[in-house]
Amino acid sequence: LGAITMENHSTVGGLGSAVAEALAERSLSARLVKMGIGDTFLHGASREYLLNEYGIDAMALVARVEDLAGERLGIGPGEIAAARIEPVHSDARPEAL
């Protein structure tokens, strides 16, 4: 099948690059889908907007998994919202970013 990496920052030199290197070192031929922010200038907005804008939100992940698996999973925004786990920290703290 393959592997998907997802990071909330640049894909350049990130987790996806490390996974690609590990696959190459082991001569493994697997499809690698790197999700993250490309080499671009970012603008400010809400977290939800930015995740959607740059294709790193939950629905984007579902779409990439479906593409990799070659089948539709039938997961929509309603199922994502129902499975949401509320954060355990304050939005005012740095780890909320």
Side-chain angles (χ1 to χ4, degrees):
L1 239 185
I4 298 174
T5 61
M6 185 176 193
E7 42 203 322
N8 65 348
H9 54 81
S10 175
T11 57
V12 177
L15 176 63
S17 297
V19 171
E21 186 176 315
L23 290 171
E25 287 174 351
R26 291 159 181 79
S27 300
L28 298 174
S29 63
R31 184 168 169 213
L32 175 61
V33 178
K34 296 186 337 181
M35 296 180 69
I37 300 169
D39 188 16
T40 186
F41 179 77
L42 302 178
H43 59 276
S46 71
R47 182 175 185 271
E48 181 180 350
Y49 174 84
L50 291 172
L51 291 175
N52 180 267
E53 177 71 14
Y54 293 104
I56 54 175
D57 62 351
M59 286 309 302
L61 178 59
V62 169
R64 295 289 181 95
V65 169
E66 289 177 337
D67 289 344
L68 189 62
E71 64 181 270
R72 298 296 159 230
L73 303 174
I75 299 172
E79 288 80 13
I80 297 294
R84 179 171 171 76
I85 299 172
E86 292 302 319
V88 295
H89 53 72
S90 164
D91 285 342
R93 296 177 59 180
E95 61 268 20
L97 299 177

